[in-house]
């Protein structure tokens, strides 16, 4: 990694923020209401620091072990940064990830929610959580066949009822749209848009049913589709490749 890579990451972030602003304006929203997350999967500590120096304060990890190695060792000195867990999470890894993260995006089944509730209760009893209540997003399956997530509204209702009973802080929803192989294909664009619309409508319906929660966070949109996601209501976009990679190498993705 050299100074050119540092400059590339900084320029990528500037470009992404500009596109966020344009997409927000196009949909009658404010860019300030949309969070930019840097997805650090496969990224080196140096790259992560470059993103931090360029203004990124929200990071997302896909794997528990990598999160522990990068953010749990103290090697990365990012004092005002927040880490979110965005990848698939096994129940036996919940205990180890809780001290590091402020939010889990990938709550995709009631069994995982039960494990989180058990571990959060243990932390409350030990008064060991300095970062405040753990925020949770329910992952909803809206399009990508290979991805996880709640598939039926009845299951989402059951999860929210359980979260209310256990006083868990569910603050919204997450989804992954179908992968676009050809960004110029209108049918693929519409499939992605339908996925995001579906999540927004799910959030609206659940907010009416569960006013006890503030379900306003919509984590949707990645490198290839974040502008569409913003147009359809995303409040948090998860960007990895487009943030870290040299644009000259995009054809090699």
């Amino acid at each position: 990694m050299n100074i050119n890579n540092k400059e590339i990451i900084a320029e990528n972030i500037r470009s992404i923020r500009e596109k966020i602003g344009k997409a927000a304006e196009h949909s009658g929203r404010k860019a300030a209401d949309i969070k930019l997350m840097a997805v650090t999967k496969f990224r080196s500590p140096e790259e992560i620091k470059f993103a931090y120096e360029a203004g990124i304060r929200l990071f997302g990890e896909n794997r528990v072990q990598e999160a522990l190695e990068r953010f749990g060792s103290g090697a990365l000195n990012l004092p005002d940064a927040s880490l979110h867990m965005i990848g698939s999470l096994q129940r036996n890894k919940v205990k180890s990830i809780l001290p590091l993260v402020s939010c889990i995006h990938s709550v995709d089944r009631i069994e995982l929610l039960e494990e989180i509730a058990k571990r959060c209760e243990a932390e409350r009893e030990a008064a060991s959580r300095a970062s405040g209540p753990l925020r949770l997003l329910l992952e909803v399956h809206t399009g990508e066949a290979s991805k996880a997530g709640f598939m039926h509204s009845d299951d989402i209702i059951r999860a929210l009822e359980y979260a209310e009973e256990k006083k868990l802080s569910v603050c919204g929803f997450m989804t992954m749209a179908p992968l676009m192989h050809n960004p110029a294909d209108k049918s693929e664009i519409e499939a992605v848009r339908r996925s995001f619309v579906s999540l927004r409508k799910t959030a609206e319906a659940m907010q009416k049913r569960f006013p006890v929660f503030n379900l306003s966070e919509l984590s949707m949109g990645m490198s290839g589709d974040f502008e569409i996601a913003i147009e359809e209501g995303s409040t948090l976009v998860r960007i990895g490749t487009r943030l870290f990679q040299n644009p000259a190498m995009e054809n090699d993705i």
Side-chain angles (χ1 to χ4, degrees):
M1 183 65 68
N2 55 41
I3 188 65
N4 290 333
N5 297 101
K6 181 176 182 178
E7 293 172 352
I8 285 168
I9 290 172
E11 175 58 25
N12 287 347
I13 291 169
R14 186 206 63 77
S15 176
I16 291 166
R17 291 197 187 279
E18 183 177 302
K19 288 178 169 60
I20 288 173
K22 288 180 179 178
E25 182 180 2
H26 184 260
S27 54
R29 304 174 63 203
K30 296 179 181 179
D33 295 333
I34 299 154
K35 304 177 187 72
L36 171 58
M37 168 189 285
V39 176
T40 53
K41 181 180 179 181
F42 302 136
R43 301 300 166 185
S44 68
E46 191 174 27
E47 289 174 294
I48 296 170
K49 287 182 180 178
F50 285 161
Y52 178 84
E53 291 170 3
I56 296 295
R57 292 296 181 269
L58 178 59
F59 296 89
E61 273 287 354
N62 292 77
R63 295 181 171 89
V64 171
Q65 188 57 41
E66 290 182 9
L68 294 171
E69 290 171 358
R70 294 191 185 118
F71 294 90
S73 65
L76 282 170
N77 183 24
L78 312 178
D80 57 342
S82 296
L83 179 65
H84 290 190
M85 181 65 195
I86 62 174
S88 178
L89 181 59
Q90 298 176 350
R91 293 177 63 186
N92 63 356
K93 298 296 181 68
V94 170
K95 181 179 180 180
S96 59
I97 197 63
L98 283 190
L100 290 183
V101 299
S102 59
C103 182
I104 298 174
H105 291 223
S106 48
V107 181
D108 58 0
R109 59 201 187 279
I110 191 70
E111 293 82 7
L112 177 58
L113 197 61
E114 290 170 346
E115 182 66 22
I116 290 170
K118 182 173 74 173
R119 296 302 176 184
C120 284
E121 179 60 31
E123 283 204 345
R124 281 195 291 267
E125 290 178 357
S128 61
R129 186 169 184 81
S131 58
L134 178 71
R135 299 169 72 241
L136 303 173
L137 302 180
L138 301 186
E139 182 176 358
V140 181
H141 188 287
T142 64
E144 179 57 61
S146 64
K147 302 304 178 184
F150 290 97
M151 297 186 68
H152 306 291
S153 59
D154 287 348
D155 293 331
I156 298 173
I157 290 168
R158 188 161 68 94
L160 287 170
E161 288 174 341
Y162 180 81
E164 182 177 4
E165 175 191 343
K166 295 296 182 179
K167 296 181 172 55
L168 297 175
S169 182
V170 178
C171 57
F173 301 90
M174 184 268 266
T175 198
M176 298 182 69
L179 181 65
M180 282 198 294
H181 300 283
N182 179 7
D185 187 325
K186 291 184 178 180
S187 64
E188 289 192 10
I189 293 172
E190 287 308 308
V192 167
R193 192 176 296 278
R194 284 195 300 272
S195 175
F196 295 145
V197 169
S198 175
L199 189 73
R200 187 186 73 234
K201 290 184 175 180
T202 294
E204 291 169 351
M206 294 303 160
Q207 184 65 79
K208 290 178 181 178
R209 186 171 183 126
F210 293 92
V212 68
F213 294 113
N214 178 2
L215 301 173
S216 60
E217 192 82 285
L218 295 182
S219 171
M220 58 187 196
M222 300 189 295
S223 288
D225 56 24
F226 71 91
E227 291 162 285
I228 302 172
I230 290 168
E231 291 173 359
E232 297 304 337
S234 175
T235 63
L236 188 157
V237 293
R238 312 179 304 269
I239 313 295
T241 299
R242 201 158 178 173
L243 192 149
F244 288 104
Q245 185 162 296
N246 187 333
M249 299 174 61
E250 285 185 354
N251 291 333
D252 296 329
I253 297 174

